[in-house]
Every structure is written in C-alpha cells, then in structure tokens.
Amino acid sequence: MNRICRLAIVLWVSWAGNVQAQEPLSLDELLNAFGWSFETAEIKSQKIGDGLFVLFGLGGNIIVSVGSDGTLLVDDQFPQLMPKIESALTELGSDGVDYVINTHWHFDHAEGNLNLGPAGVPLIAQINSRNMMAEPHVINLVGIRYLQEPYPPSAWPSITYDDTMQVHFNGERIDLLHFGPAHTTGDTAVIFRGHNVVHMGDVFNTSGYPFIDADNGGSIDGVIKFSSAIRDAINPQTQVIPGHGPVADYQTLVDYIDMLTVVRERIAGLIEQGISLDAIQAIKPT
C-alpha cells in the first residue's frame, strides 16, 4: 500500500480545485517541466500475448494488436513520435495502423490522432472524448497548467459510443466500457477478451500519484466507481495495463481501489470537520 498511497494533495485538488491560477504552459514548456524530449525518446515494447504488445514511450501506454486483420492501437501518444512508433510497429510485424481506440482525450494519449486521423485511420472513442477534442481545455496538472488546443475535425474520432461497444478484430472480441466521469468525462476501458487483458487509460495509474481532471469533469468518486466496475468485469488472471507505469495485475487494481476508498473517506471526514488544507497535509491521511 505504501507504493500507491501518496495522493492527499491530488485528492484534495480533485474535490476543492484549490490550486492558484497560473498561465498555461506551451507544449515546449510542458516537455521541459516533465523532462521529456521527442528527440531522445525511445519506444520500447513488451509482449503480453500472441500478437499483443505494450509500447512505452512518452505519455500514455499504447497497446498494439497485430494479426490477420491488421493493426489496432489503443492510444497513440504524440505525432512527433509517430516515426519512432511506426518503426516499433514494423518490428512487431505491422505494415500500418488500421484502427485507433482513444482511452480519453488528453494530449499525451490522443495527440497522435493529429497524424493518423488525416491519414485516414478510423478513430474510436467515447462520445465525450470526441466532444472535448473539438474545443480548447486547460488541464490542471497540479502545480502546472496546460492548454490543450482543439483538434481539427480530421483528428476527431469518427466512431463513438455512449456506454458500451464491441469490436471484433484479429480473432477476438474487444469490449469498450464507460462508467461515467472518472479521470475525465470520456474514459474508455478496453478489454481484449481473448487475451484477458484490459487497458484502463489514466483511470488507473501505477507510475505515481493518481490524477483526476476535476476542472474538466473528473471526480474521485467516479474513479472509484469506474475502477470497481472494471474489477468486476475481469478476473484474477487478467493483465491490467495502466495509463502510465508498468504492466500490472488484478491484485494491484484491487489494492488501488482500496487505497482510493480509504484515503477518500479519511480526507472527506477531515473536510467535513472544517480542517484546513495545511492541517490535513500535516495529519498525513495516507
């Protein structure tokens, strides 16, 4: 629990939105703040099943399904990285991207749409993510803010759904599930039923603090609800792919839900008592 119980500040921000306003950063400034470089970035792959891989680079994890029907991606990172991503795909036996599923609309998961959409690749997402891509939004990253500019229509998902959808590709059923606002208002969990693998996007994060985009409709209650619904839709043998961080398993997701629930209850109780943010932090509710 110690590894994932480090989120008092983030949970408070999710409820209270209590971060002082500051000018949004440009993409170059954001990259500098994260210590990211498109030039030096490496795309690494991990096999998680026959014809199924995870790509790690900058931004969100990508799932790749390669087979007789072609290549399907879950998330697509940045257009600046697309040559490196395409090179990695070639090594996995792909001869081009045929479909992309966006787990949500944030730039580090969906900005590759700017490259793939105009190239004619069909894009799939929950309807709220398409709507968010069409407008500018400031993303409060806790300490820094980033203005995500609207995408051109060619980069919007052309295939959308409300709550559930199924895709049949490379010999297996792929379930797309949405359970209301969580990390964002348009999150999708993608379950590869044949491989028993789920990609949860940023609803589930094993790389550091959980992040909830409260300024754009996300909520801690929603993350708990969404994560719990996915826990109930999979089984103890399922491989769980987080939005960021290494491949995880069912028990890690169970622990994550327990942590979110316990810390939420502790902080909610302190808020109800009228205790200040500084005092809550001093109590160390995690």
Side-chain angles (χ1 to χ4, degrees), residues 174-197:
I174 304 171
D175 289 346
L176 281 61
L177 303 173
H178 172 74
F179 298 99
H183 169 64
T184 70
T185 59
D187 299 299
T188 292
V190 185
I191 304 178
F192 292 79
R193 291 297 185 183
H195 285 90
N196 199 16
V197 169

Side-chain angles (χ1 to χ4, degrees), residues 48 54 61 63 197-201 204 239-243 245-248:
I48 52 175
V54 180
N61 295 335
I63 280 189
V197 169
V198 58
H199 191 320
M200 292 185 61
F204 178 54
Q239 295 184 80
V240 184
I241 312 303
V247 174

Side-chain angles (χ1 to χ4, degrees), residues 23-253:
E23 286 298 315
L25 302 183
S26 67
L27 180 58
D28 286 342
E29 291 170 333
L30 185 71
L31 292 172
N32 288 333
F34 284 172
W36 288 354
S37 168
F38 293 136
E39 288 73 23
T40 61
E42 296 181 4
I43 304 298
K44 299 181 180 179
S45 67
Q46 177 180 339
K47 184 176 181 179
I48 52 175
D50 291 340
L52 199 68
F53 308 86
V54 180
L55 295 184
F56 304 94
L58 298 184
N61 295 335
I62 299 173
I63 280 189
V64 181
S65 172
V66 181
S68 58
D69 293 331
T71 299
L72 178 147
L73 304 184
V74 180
D75 287 344
D76 51 23
Q77 293 190 4
F78 296 95
Q80 294 89 340
L81 291 178
M82 200 53 62
K84 294 182 179 182
I85 292 172
E86 290 173 345
S87 178
L89 293 176
T90 299
E91 293 181 4
L92 300 180
S94 168
D95 59 3
V97 179
D98 296 285
Y99 289 94
V100 172
I101 299 170
N102 294 137
T103 62
H104 60 293
W105 59 273
H106 280 166
F107 64 97
D108 57 325
H109 290 256
E111 207 104 310
N113 287 14
L114 298 173
N115 180 294
L116 296 174
V121 176
L123 309 172
I124 306 170
Q126 204 275 338
I127 183 60
N128 293 334
S129 278
R130 173 189 162 97
N131 293 340
M132 295 296 277
M133 290 178 195
E135 300 175 350
H137 295 280
V138 174
I139 303 173
N140 185 342
L141 296 164
V142 187
I144 58 175
R145 299 163 76 237
Y146 174 68
L147 174 61
Q148 180 166 322
E149 298 287 358
Y151 292 176
S154 60
W156 300 348
S158 58
I159 303 169
T160 62
Y161 75 101
D162 292 321
D163 300 315
T164 64
M165 180 178 177
Q166 294 179 347
V167 176
H168 297 267
F169 195 80
N170 285 338
E172 70 180 318
R173 191 183 91 198
I174 304 171
D175 289 346
L176 281 61
L177 303 173
H178 172 74
F179 298 99
H183 169 64
T184 70
T185 59
D187 299 299
T188 292
V190 185
I191 304 178
F192 292 79
R193 291 297 185 183
H195 285 90
N196 199 16
V197 169
V198 58
H199 191 320
M200 292 185 61
D202 281 357
V203 176
F204 178 54
N205 178 1
T206 63
S207 70
Y209 291 94
F211 168 60
I212 300 163
D213 192 353
D215 289 355
N216 291 302
S219 78
I220 177 62
D221 289 337
V223 171
I224 294 171
K225 174 186 175 183
F226 196 113
S227 299
S228 299
I230 294 302
R231 175 201 60 202
D232 295 342
I234 59 177
N235 61 60
Q237 286 71 49
T238 305
Q239 295 184 80
V240 184
I241 312 303
H244 300 265
V247 174
D249 57 16
Y250 178 89
Q251 188 59 49
T252 304
L253 176 60

